[in-house]
Amino acid sequence: MEKIYQKILEFRDERDWKKYHDPKDLAISISLEANELLENFQWKNSEEAIAGSTQNIKEEMADILIYLIQMADKLEIDLEEEVYIGCKIHQMA
């Protein structure tokens, strides 16, 4: 996961975009990208959507992850640790 983090943050920093990435706008971007992912499934069953839109589904999933990592960086959240914590919580439920 560290390599992915580094690549995303380097890409952002090379373009000097960090100054535009406040938590509100990153949260909005995550939501917008999630809706773009959802569009692939509108009016189709899962099999039809996957068969016809696999590449776009992959791209939208990547976009969501990119914004999520940038938000975690901005808020100084160890996303990997939070995933482990979340898995433990769900195991106990």
Side-chain angles (χ1 to χ4, degrees):
M1 187 100 170
E2 186 60 35
K3 288 171 94 173
I4 293 171
Y5 263 77
Q6 287 176 341
K7 189 74 170 170
I8 290 167
L9 299 179
E10 282 176 21
F11 182 87
R12 177 202 64 197
D13 294 344
E14 287 170 358
R15 287 151 183 80
D16 198 28
W17 289 348
K18 187 175 183 177
K19 62 188 170 195
Y20 303 113
H21 291 171
D22 65 82
K24 175 196 66 86
D25 290 331
L26 291 167
I28 289 169
S29 295
I30 292 166
S31 180
L32 292 171
E33 295 298 338
N35 283 305
E36 289 180 20
L37 173 62
L38 188 56
E39 279 182 315
N40 290 288
F41 296 90
Q42 188 176 22
W43 313 119
K44 303 170 189 158
N45 64 40
S46 292
E47 293 77 21
E48 292 170 334
I50 293 166
S53 303
T54 301
Q55 185 58 41
N56 189 261
I57 290 168
K58 291 179 192 179
E59 291 168 5
E60 299 306 338
M61 290 174 67
D63 288 345
I64 293 165
L65 182 60
I66 290 166
Y67 281 118
L68 193 57
I69 287 172
Q70 291 179 77
M71 188 171 187
D73 179 66
K74 185 71 170 186
L75 297 174
E76 298 180 359
I77 294 171
D78 183 339
L79 196 54
E80 189 172 2
E81 179 65 22
E82 293 304 319
V83 168
Y84 288 125
I85 291 168
C87 288
K88 283 184 180 181
I89 290 170
H90 293 295
Q91 279 181 336
M92 296 170 63

